[in-house]
Every structure is written in C-alpha cells, then in structure tokens.
Amino acid sequence: MKQALLKAWRVRGWLAWLLWPIAQIHGILVRVRRSLYRSGFFAVDRFDVAIVVVGNVVAGGAGKTPLVMAIVKHLQSQGLQVGVVSRGYGRSSQESLQVRPETPTYESGDEPALIQRATGAPVFVAKLRTEAVRSLLARYPATDVVVCDDGLQHYALSRNIEIAVFDDKGVGNGWLLPAGPLREPWPERLHQGVNLVLHTGLTPAFAGFTSSRKLADYAVAADGSRVEFNALDHQPLVALAGIANPEAFFDMLRSRGLRLQKTIALPDHHDFTMEDLSALTGCTVLCTEKDAVKLFALTGHAGLRLLAVPLEFSPEPAFFTALNGLLAPLISQLPSDHGHQTT
C-alpha cells in the first residue's frame, strides 16, 4: 500500500510539472482579466447595498455553504435583512429564479435549496450573479446585506467584503490550474481585495480565522422528526454522500460511535436517481443535509429509511467581530429610502 501511494504521488508530481507551462499561462490570463475589471475596461455592476462574497481560490469544496448559512444567521440575529445569491451549480435552467421551499432542486441547485431551508432568507439564483442580485433587490428592496455564495472570481459584481475559505488542504502544491488546485495566485490574491480568511478544517495551513465543525447528536427524517444517535447505536447503517469530501462525513459518523456497514461516496452535486437507491431497500441510510434536499423527494418510493445528519458549523467569535467591524460603516451608509439602484 505504501509503495502504491508513493508511486501515485510520483505520477501526480510528473503530471504537475508537465502542466506547469499551461498553469503559467493561466496565471497571466487571470491577472490580465482582473486588471481589466479593476481599471474599468470591463463593466462592473454596483449596487446600493452591502455585498459580501464568500468564495475560495482553490477548486473544489472548502466549506463555503456552511459559512454562508452561519453568516446569514448571525446577521439575522442582529436584526438585518439579508438576502443570498448563487449561480446554483448543476441546475437545469439559466434564468434568474427565487428559490422557494417548493422549488425543485433541479431548478435551484442543491446548495441554494439548503441555504433557503436552513435560514429562511430570500435566495435567488441566476447564471450571472449580478442578475441574481438585481432580481433579489427588485423583490426585496429593504435588504441590508447580500451574501454571495461563491463568486470570488465573478469580478463583474462589485463587492464590499471578500471572504476566502480554505480547508485542511490549504493551497495544495501552490500552483495554478491545471498543475495545481489554485484558481488565482495565492497569497497574491490576499492583498488584492480579500478581507477575511477562514479555515474550515482542523489543521489550518496558514494564518486566518478558524472554525469548529461537528455533527449534531441526532439525525432528521423527511417529516422533520429527530432520531437521537443512541437509537442507532446497534443498527447496521449505510452512509451515503455526494459532496466534495465524502470520507470526511463518514469519519465524523464513525467518530460518534456509529457502526457503518457500508459507505457510498459519490461526486459533489450528484444527481440522485432511484437506481442509486435500489440496492438499499430496507436499510437505514445516513446522508448530509445537502444530499437530503434531493434524496427526501425520492425515498418515499425507495423502501428505505433515510436520515439527514445536520452539521454544526461555527466560526470563531473573533471572525464575527471582524465581520461586524467591516459591515458597520457600510450599513450606516444605506440610503434612507432603502431603494437600490445600479450605477
């Protein structure tokens, strides 16, 4: 096993070196594109509302959506009117759409659906995030803050605060795509607009705010009822996840003492079908909340017991203190009539 891992590492290393020239060209194009937006050569849509972009410079999932939900709930607790915009990865339509509880996930995307159900905030999706913001403010003109789920590289949308999210992988080998995981040069990007850095893992790779994440002590059925973990202690369980890092979910379940008879890892944003569930008839299946927004619609016909396990995610208090400090002057400058116009 150790020799196989070493061989795989060597292969990836050689591939990275072979792709390094392409990555260098990518870096040049990224810098040119960003400078064209900053110079005004490309148009930037500006809105009379505070806009917070939560994203990452690394390809793949790093915990953006849990952070978006935590930020929205924090701002709501302060009495602010908060809206959320997203591209809605993997959805079937392209037009601007408000995500409602009854909206099918194939129209909204799984993450926007999860955010709406978890926070109750207005959530809008569109191919262009600027269009999503425009639709949101037209429908909810009293909005104080718009939180953008992903979109750090969507420079056409002006933003007041940028938050970069990293997991334990950090910046990987530090190279740009396709030789490495970076969408933009780092730490160069840190000094070009990023206001806050938050680590969602257990071992941050470099300086930034930290957070804690653990599974709740219970699971939730489709009807909203809770099932305590101690009721599952002696049951053979199947764990299923279609997220960026399924093994992290499986490990957290095991750390809570749950006995997993089988695990099923699927690609992020996986479009579940009845075929995925056909072999699980009669089983008790644990999944993430993100997967549940799709799976709960199927399991009534699958003959299995599906339970979603909530993730309890909490940025350290100092993160919210810093965010409050950045937002305070922006909120105080909102127009008295609270109408929003683009410039």
Side-chain angles (χ1 to χ4, degrees):
M1 174 64 73
K2 187 178 295 184
Q3 289 181 342
L5 289 174
L6 181 60
K7 182 179 180 180
W9 181 88
R10 286 173 177 167
V11 169
R12 289 196 297 270
W14 276 111
L15 285 174
W17 277 109
L18 289 173
L19 295 170
W20 184 80
I22 301 175
Q24 294 300 103
I25 297 172
H26 178 203
I28 293 171
L29 295 176
V30 166
R31 293 180 177 95
V32 169
R33 176 174 174 266
R34 181 169 174 79
S35 66
L36 290 174
Y37 275 105
R38 296 182 73 179
S39 67
F41 185 84
F42 287 159
V44 177
D45 285 323
R46 305 181 187 280
F47 299 87
D48 290 331
V49 64
I51 295 182
V52 179
V53 174
V54 178
N56 59 15
V57 297
V58 177
K64 295 183 299 293
T65 299
L67 177 58
V68 167
M69 294 190 293
I71 289 173
V72 171
K73 292 177 181 178
H74 169 73
L75 298 178
Q76 288 173 331
S77 72
Q78 296 184 325
L80 295 173
Q81 300 297 313
V82 188
V84 178
V85 298
S86 171
R87 185 175 181 180
Y89 182 86
R91 69 193 190 99
S92 59
S93 59
Q94 299 296 318
E95 73 276 7
S96 183
L97 170 75
Q98 180 173 3
V99 181
R100 302 181 183 276
E102 66 275 12
T103 303
T105 54
Y106 62 80
E107 292 184 5
S108 66
D110 48 14
E111 288 166 344
L114 176 59
I115 293 168
Q116 193 283 323
R117 296 178 191 186
T119 67
V123 178
F124 281 73
V125 293
K127 181 178 180 180
L128 298 177
R129 293 172 181 84
T130 51
E131 291 302 317
V133 175
R134 191 170 288 109
S135 298
L136 168 65
L137 297 181
R139 178 66 180 83
Y140 299 92
T143 301
D144 298 305
V145 182
V146 174
V147 181
C148 183
D149 182 23
D150 208 357
L152 208 60
Q153 292 79 37
H154 187 59
Y155 303 132
L157 174 62
S158 178
R159 68 287 306 271
N160 304 99
I161 299 171
E162 289 187 336
I163 302 172
V165 185
F166 293 89
D167 62 12
D168 284 340
K169 296 188 296 293
V171 295
N173 63 6
W175 290 357
L176 288 165
L177 294 166
L182 288 176
R183 299 172 176 174
E184 299 182 276
W186 190 271
E188 178 181 323
R189 184 65 169 84
L190 175 63
H191 307 296
Q192 296 178 343
V194 172
N195 303 95
L196 302 171
V197 173
L198 183 88
H199 297 279
T200 61
L202 298 175
T203 56
F206 45 86
F209 293 103
T210 60
S211 57
S212 64
R213 55 188 299 150
K214 65 174 184 175
L215 296 180
D217 296 325
Y218 59 88
V220 181
D223 61 3
S225 60
R226 291 188 177 189
V227 178
E228 301 297 328
F229 274 178
N230 56 21
L232 303 173
D233 281 346
H234 303 292
Q235 294 186 29
L237 304 169
V238 175
L240 178 154
I243 57 176
N245 187 1
E247 291 301 328
F249 176 63
F250 303 152
D251 289 342
M252 284 194 286
L253 290 172
R254 294 187 184 100
S255 70
R256 304 308 296 267
L258 295 176
R259 186 159 53 95
L260 303 183
Q261 186 179 57
K262 182 179 181 180
T263 61
I264 302 173
L266 296 165
D268 197 12
H269 303 286
H270 181 69
D271 289 325
F272 293 97
T273 65
M274 290 297 296
E275 185 177 351
D276 294 320
L277 307 179
S278 60
L280 303 177
T281 300
C283 296
T284 296
V285 180
L286 303 179
C287 71
T288 69
E289 292 177 294
K290 175 178 167 180
D291 294 320
V293 298
K294 296 177 180 177
L295 285 169
F296 278 152
L298 297 175
T299 51
H301 309 284
L304 56 85
R305 184 191 189 196
L306 181 75
L307 301 173
V309 184
L311 175 69
E312 296 179 348
F313 176 83
S314 302
E316 64 172 303
F319 171 82
F320 285 128
T321 299
L323 178 62
N324 291 344
L326 292 169
L327 273 174
L330 301 173
I331 299 299
S332 66
Q333 294 172 15
L334 286 177
S336 57
D337 63 358
H338 228 54
H340 304 281
Q341 300 293 327
T342 59
T343 58

